[in-house]
């Protein structure tokens, strides 16, 4: 009996292990950048210039966030590489260029480990700049730690609504590369009104990211007089949508929005396709951000004519005021990282670096409060390959609007192309509504 | 070595209660699925007396003890203890009332020392008997600090007995205590049972295959076969009954 | 409600309680365990002066608390709850909801965390009727159900649902650290008590054999439930402290299965049924986790996993059993 339990434990451990090793072998492309603890003196502009500006960040080498975290980390590394190749980043406090040094640790997708490592970056490595790992979940532990240690957190892609409430009184966070998730749907609502959609069904994951969007949709559609006839959350781990699809079909909506994470979107699109049920307008989140991966999983016929948020690389900004434009970024990044596809996370990482660069170039000193003032002073004044940058008083990103894109079949029919269809000013093609 | 206190206990719980009906099993039936393990069994036992319970393998002896000690629920019938209906009561409450037992296969608390085994029962069984006294009585005092799983089979049986005794039972059911013991150990244990029964006025319900052992503890027996009582009376008479002989030899 | 004939902790006849205390202090293993507890508190009380990474210290303490909770449940009663993290999460949310929605102070919040996890434990106590893997899996399902409950949009008014908790109103790095140290002290003291009290003996008796424990007069259901509640309260306290320290978190963070698995592995590795085992297990394994996790992340899972498999197979009773046998040989 006792021995049996021991064996169970061993087997479970073995299984966990096997799973972990499986996922790590897929993602061992990450290499740790030197993590020696030589610390640059953070803080005052007084005194001699530091030999390097240290930037500390975390990435998830394994676990559920590795898929998104690693590309974002590649983007950050690429930015460091670019800046150092040009002799460093311009630092206003010393009126000269100083090289960037990256210190990074692997949090393995664990929030408690991430918490420890963020603390390590601040208290042991004394980094000048702290950047968070991908997404809200791995950013959350950094929010408190940054505030406690009075260190400005450059939040790359953690769009969590709780981070930016005015009641937090938290001057130590800025969101660099994505708008807060609650403003994502704004262009999409306008588009839906323009094509005459009257009746909408929404299902969304019970997580911060999707729920914030769902609520914005609900309010926005109501304000436009559009009826939301179905509004339901599903657990984030859901991968079965068949019965929900039937239920929604019974309501005969013009539009069916499924707001999930990448795995949810893939499962939903596959099951919708095989169910044979058609809706004039189907919307999911991730095809626009990670087109190649979603298309490989769902197939072109399953994606065809559905809608998504248009994000770079589909959304092209070739002449930003700072940093590389999309096409030069693509060329340079692909050769740096030896990749053939870039996705939004790569760009988000790079973009976060550009925002840090703006902070350094405009802050009176390297103190954390001055760095924040430096970023805020540039709100609305520059644009990057994602679009125009703007920031509110809580540090939330309000720029970088995400247009509506439709996945139109390429002429061969074996692939789809992310085509921006709204707003008109950015459109790269015309929407096919209703979907055939 | 035996503390003085114990003799006064003997007087208090001793011969005074002998004539009183202590246990009454009334028409008890037990089903395991569709199998009837006990079929309308009635057994009576007076305070301080001893009764043997014999029968071939699978005849329901252990099941009867399980019913009396609350580990198995009867489908029909009642168990009265001290004229009170105790059917369906939880085992620990029966233990508090004064019903205890040993197990056919001893069940020591592994991981605990011998002394701790007895301590637990002394404390939670509310017997107010001294642990040292019980250990001395059952000759376990020399192995008191050993872990109970290191004991020999015979010692483990004695440990079951020691634990039961430390709860100060008025009714003690012993399930094949003799099986597997050597001749000298049999002597020792039989003496021990008679001794505690007389000293503390404990009634004994003794399940046993070894007639030699049984006759040293009691004269009265109940014979079970296939869940039914087929004989009640003295052991000597039982062994003269053709149907009893038939059951034992034929089975 | 105790009936007059049923107490949780009986008295050994003929020994006054004062005698028992002297007796305890003559017991070398009790003195050793008490010393372990005191040293532990001392180390963490002054921990911040030699380790700048406070969160590392907090994580260590929280895992020690959880490993001791597993110790109480599995080491003393034989129930291995894979869903143990459910109590941790319940404690964290008890703290979060009471402070941010009901605006109680941080200390009442900690109490609320413990109360919530105890209530959850009582609601789940019928699970104790299941045995072995059935119990382990049922407890897992219960933890899963809890996280769905907490993150459900209809619970948003209370738990803030999927948007996660934010305790910035009571945020206090110093006090939350000290509270975690005190919590660890309480939990360790409780395990010392369990190990050396008759109640602890009763638990181990039940673990060894239910029916003979019952025949020894132990109210098996009540004693077992009480131990289950103690174990849950420990996890709840750990969760409440963690919530206070970390302040911003999502339901998934405090209900993560990994937390259960870690706590179970740390406890087994160190040795269950002892006071020092779960502490040593946590220090060694969480220490290694942090050390190799940082320096050689690529091989981390492999090294870590192999280590655990080797230990479970070859030192099944944990590190503490190795220590005990060496110590035992020396002192005999
Ligand atoms: N829990 C149970 N479930 C099903 N059947 C049972 C159970 N316990 C006992 N039995 C059956 O009931 C019958 C009586 O069993 P019991 O153990 O009472 O016999 P016994 O007279 O003690 O036999 P032995 O001399 O072998 O100990 C047997 O056929 C046994 O298989
Ligand atoms: Mg039997």
């Amino acid at each position: 009996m006792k021995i049996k339990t021991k064996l169970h434990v061993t087997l479970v451990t073995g299984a966990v292990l096997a799973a972990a090793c499986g996922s790590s072998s897929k993602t061992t492309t990450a290499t740790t950048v030197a993590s020696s603890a030589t610390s640059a003196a953070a803080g005052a502009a007084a005194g001699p210039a530091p030999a390097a500006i240290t930037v500390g960040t975390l990435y998830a080498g394994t676990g559920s966030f590795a898929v998104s975290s690693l590309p974002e980390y590649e983007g950050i590394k690429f930015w460091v590489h670019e800046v150092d190749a040009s002799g460093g980043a311009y630092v206003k406090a010393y009126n000269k260029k100083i090289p960037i040094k990256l210190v990074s640790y692997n949090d393995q997708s664990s929030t408690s480990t991430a918490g420890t490592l963020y603390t390590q970056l601040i208290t042991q490595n004394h980094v000048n700049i702290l950047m968070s790992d991908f997404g809200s979940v791995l950013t959350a532990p950094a929010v408190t730690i940054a505030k406690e240690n009075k260190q400005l957190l450059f939040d790359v892609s953690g769009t969590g609504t709780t981070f930016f409430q005015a009641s937090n009184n938290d001057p130590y966070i800025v969101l660099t590369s994505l708008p807060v998730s609650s403003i994502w749907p704004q262009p999409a609502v306008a588009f839906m009104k323009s094509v005459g959609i009257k009746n909408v069904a929404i299902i969304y994951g019970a997580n911060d990211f999707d729920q914030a969007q769902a609520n914005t949709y609900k309010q926005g559609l109501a304000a436009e007089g559009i009826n939301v006839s179905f509004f339901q959350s599903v657990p984030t781990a859901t991968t079965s949508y068949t019965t929900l699809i039937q239920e929604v079909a019974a309501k005969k909506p013009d539009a069916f929005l499924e707001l999930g994470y990448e795995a949810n979107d893939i499962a939903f699109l596959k099951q919708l396709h095989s169910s044979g049920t058609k809706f004039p307008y189907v919307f999911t989140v991730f095809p626009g951000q990670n087109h190649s991966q979603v298309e490989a999983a769902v197939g072109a016929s399953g994606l065809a004519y559905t809608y998504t948020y248009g994000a770079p690389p589909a959304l092209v900004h070739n002449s930003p005021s700072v940093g590389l434009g999309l096409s030069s970024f693509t060329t340079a990044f692909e050769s740096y990282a030896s990749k053939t596809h870039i996705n939004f996370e790569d760009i988000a990482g790079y973009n976060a670096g550009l925002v840090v660069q703006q902070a350094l170039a405009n802050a009176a000193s390297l103190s954390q409060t001055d760095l924040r003032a430096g970023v805020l002073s540039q709100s609305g004044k520059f644009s990057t390959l994602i679009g125009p940058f703007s920031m509110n008083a809580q540090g939330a990103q309000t720029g970088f609007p995400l247009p509506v894109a439709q996945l139109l079949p390429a002429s061969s029919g074996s692939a789809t192309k992310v085509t921006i269809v709204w707003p008109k000013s950015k459109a790269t093609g015309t929407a096919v509504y209703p979907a055939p | 070595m035996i503390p003085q206190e114990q003799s006064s206990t003997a007087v208090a719980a001793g011969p005074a209660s002998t004539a009183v009906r202590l246990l009454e099993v009334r028409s008890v039936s037990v089903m395991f699925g569709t199998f009837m393990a006990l079929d309308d069994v009635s057994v009576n036992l007076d305070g301080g007396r001893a009764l043997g319970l014999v029968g071939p393998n699978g005849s329901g002896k252990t099941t009867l003890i399980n019913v009396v000690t609350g580990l198995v629920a009867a489908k029909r019938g009642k168990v009265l203890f001290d004229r009170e209906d105790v059917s369906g009561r939880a085992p620990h409450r029966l233990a508090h009332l004064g019903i205890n037992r040993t197990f056919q296969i001893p069940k020591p608390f592994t991981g605990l020392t011998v002394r701790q085994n007895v301590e637990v029962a002394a404390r939670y069984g509310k017997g107010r008997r001294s642990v040292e006294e019980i250990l001395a009585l059952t000759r376990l005092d020399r192995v008191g600090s050993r872990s109970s799983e290191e004991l020999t089979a015979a010692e483990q049986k004695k440990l079951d007995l020691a634990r039961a005794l430390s709860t100060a039972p008025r009714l003690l059911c012993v399930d094949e205590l003799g099986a597997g013991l050597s001749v000298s150990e049999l002597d020792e244990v039989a003496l021990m049972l008679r001794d505690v029964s007389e000293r503390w006025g404990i009634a004994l319900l003794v399940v046993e295959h070894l007639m030699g052992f049984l006759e040293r503890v009691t004269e009265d027996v109940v014979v079970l076969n296939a869940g039914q009582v087929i004989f009640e009376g003295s052991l000597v008479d039982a062994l003269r009954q053709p149907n009893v002989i038939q059951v034992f030899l034929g089975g | 409600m105790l009936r007059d004939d049923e107490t949780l902790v009986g008295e050994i006849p003929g020994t006054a309680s004062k005698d028992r205390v002297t007796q305890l202090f003559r017991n070398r293993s009790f003195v050793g365990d008490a010393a372990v507890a005191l040293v532990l508190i001392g180390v963490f009380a002054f921990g911040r002066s030699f380790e700048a990474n406070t969160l590392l210290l907090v994580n260590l303490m929280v895992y020690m608390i959880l490993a001791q909770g597993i110790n109480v449940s599995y080491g003393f009663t034989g129930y291995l709850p894979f869903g143990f993290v459910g109590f941790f999460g319940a404690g964290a949310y008890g703290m979060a909801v009471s402070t941010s929605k009901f605006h109680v102070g941080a200390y009442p919040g900690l109490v609320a965390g413990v109360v919530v996890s105890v209530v959850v434990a009582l609601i789940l106590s019928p699970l104790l009727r299941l045995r072995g893997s059935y119990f382990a899996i049922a407890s897992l399902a219960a933890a899963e159900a809890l996280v769905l409950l907490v993150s459900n949009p209809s619970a948003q008014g209370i738990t803030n649902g999927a948007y996660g908790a934010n305790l910035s109103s009571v945020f206090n790095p110093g006090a939350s650290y000290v509270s975690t140290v005190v919590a660890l002290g309480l939990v360790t003291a409780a395990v010392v008590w369990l190990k050396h009290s008759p109640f602890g003996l009763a638990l181990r008796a039940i673990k060894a054999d239910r029916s003979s424990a019952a025949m020894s007069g132990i109210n098996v259901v009540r004693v077992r439930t009480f131990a289950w509640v103690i174990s849950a309260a420990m996890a709840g306290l750990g969760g409440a402290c963690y919530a206070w320290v970390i302040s911003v978190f999502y339901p998934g963070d405090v209900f993560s299965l990994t937390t259960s698995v870690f706590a179970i592995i740390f406890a087994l590795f160190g040795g269950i049924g002892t006071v020092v085992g779960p502490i040593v297990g946590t220090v060694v394994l969480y220490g290694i986790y942090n050390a190799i996790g940082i320096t050689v992340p690529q091989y981390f899972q492999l090294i870590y996993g192999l280590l655990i498999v080797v230990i479970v197979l070859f030192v099944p009773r944990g590190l503490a059993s190795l220590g005990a046998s060496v110590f035992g040989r020396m002192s005999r």
Side-chain angles (χ1 to χ4, degrees), chain B residues 32 35 37 56-63 104 176 209:
Chain B
F32 292 116
F35 173 75
N57 291 113
S59 57
K61 305 180 296 289
T62 300
T63 305
Q104 188 166 353
E176 302 200 19
H209 280 294

Side-chain angles (χ1 to χ4, degrees), chain A residues 55-118:
Chain A
V55 173
T57 192
L58 305 185
Y59 62 94
T62 53
S64 46
F65 294 105
V67 150
S68 304
S69 172
L70 287 172
E72 195 176 276
Y73 179 54
E74 291 274 300
I76 295 175
K77 285 196 293 180
F78 171 75
W79 166 70
V80 174
H81 170 84
E82 285 287 292
V83 168
D84 287 350
S86 73
Y90 172 73
V91 181
K92 183 184 175 192
Y94 301 98
N95 192 24
K96 65 178 211 175
K97 280 189 167 185
I98 303 178
I100 302 284
K101 195 161 139 315
L102 189 62
V103 182
S104 59
Y105 299 119
N106 180 356
D107 60 36
Q108 302 156 49
S109 298
S110 151
T111 47
S112 69
T113 308
T116 311
L117 294 174
Y118 284 127

Side-chain angles (χ1 to χ4, degrees), chain A residues 93-176:
Chain A
Y94 301 98
N95 192 24
K96 65 178 211 175
K97 280 189 167 185
I98 303 178
I100 302 284
K101 195 161 139 315
L102 189 62
V103 182
S104 59
Y105 299 119
N106 180 356
D107 60 36
Q108 302 156 49
S109 298
S110 151
T111 47
S112 69
T113 308
T116 311
L117 294 174
Y118 284 127
T119 313
Q120 165 113 0
L121 286 171
I122 298 172
T123 61
Q124 260 106 313
N125 303 117
H126 302 287
V127 296
N128 300 107
I129 305 286
L130 178 68
M131 284 166 119
S132 64
D133 199 343
F134 166 82
S136 299
V137 171
L138 291 173
T139 299
V143 174
T144 325
I145 292 162
K147 188 179 175 190
E148 172 185 347
N149 291 284
K150 303 196 183 337
Q151 172 103 24
L152 179 62
L153 176 67
F154 287 85
D155 171 0
V156 182
S157 52
T159 58
T161 40
T162 50
F163 306 165
F164 306 100
Q165 284 158 0
S167 63
N168 290 357
N169 277 328
D170 182 1
Y172 293 102
I173 184 167
V174 291
L175 175 56
T176 66

Side-chain angles (χ1 to χ4, degrees), chain A residues 112-113 115-116 119 144 211 215, chain C residues 53 55 59 156 163 171 246 289:
Chain A
S112 69
T113 308
T116 311
T119 313
T144 325
Q211 199 175 331
N215 285 329
Chain C
N53 194 336
L55 208 65
N59 280 336
Q156 196 174 324
Y163 292 133
F171 179 63
I246 206 84
Y289 172 86

Side-chain angles (χ1 to χ4, degrees), chain B residues 121-201:
Chain B
R123 168 168 294 226
Y124 282 86
K126 303 185 196 300
R128 311 214 153 255
R129 290 244 163 89
S130 140
V131 171
E132 295 310 319
E133 179 191 350
I134 300 286
L135 286 175
L137 193 75
T138 49
R139 314 261 149 77
L140 288 170
D141 40 359
R142 271 168 304 131
V143 291
S145 49
R146 282 243 216 105
S147 185
S148 59
E149 63 266 32
E150 295 169 14
L151 298 184
T152 64
E155 286 169 331
Q156 290 195 349
K157 292 200 156 191
K158 286 196 242 167
L159 179 54
D160 256 23
L161 183 62
R163 242 174 18 199
L165 288 175
S166 69
T167 65
R170 283 184 290 153
L171 169 65
L172 176 62
C173 309
V174 288
D175 197 352
E176 302 200 19
L177 202 56
L181 297 192
S182 71
V183 178
S184 63
E185 286 166 342
L186 277 174
D187 272 351
E188 186 191 351
V189 172
L191 258 173
M192 212 179 269
L193 276 180
R194 279 233 316 258
D195 178 39
V196 295
S197 169
E198 275 163 26
R199 192 188 323 190
W200 286 321

Side-chain angles (χ1 to χ4, degrees), chain C residues 88-109:
Chain C
F88 180 76
Y93 264 95
M95 173 78 182
V97 171
S98 61
T99 54
S100 54
K101 289 282 178 276
F102 299 109
H103 306 289
V104 307
Y107 297 109

Side-chain angles (χ1 to χ4, degrees), chain B residues 40-79:
Chain B
D40 198 22
V41 170
S42 297
V43 170
N44 295 320
L45 178 57
D46 286 348
R49 302 294 301 270
L51 176 66
L53 188 57
V54 298
N57 291 113
S59 57
K61 305 180 296 289
T62 300
T63 305
L64 183 59
I65 291 187
N66 285 345
V67 170
V68 170
T69 54
L71 294 179
V72 161
K75 182 161 187 276
R76 275 191 298 274
K78 278 182 186 171
V79 178

Side-chain angles (χ1 to χ4, degrees), chain B residues 24-32 36-41 63-80 85-89 94:
Chain B
E24 196 177 335
V25 176
R26 250 192 230 165
S27 307
V28 160
S29 299
V30 169
M31 304 284 292
F32 292 116
M36 189 164 252
L38 289 179
D39 182 4
D40 198 22
V41 170
T63 305
L64 183 59
I65 291 187
N66 285 345
V67 170
V68 170
T69 54
L71 294 179
V72 161
K75 182 161 187 276
R76 275 191 298 274
K78 278 182 186 171
V79 178
L80 304 185
D85 187 356
V86 296
S87 329
R89 236 179 249 190
L94 296 175

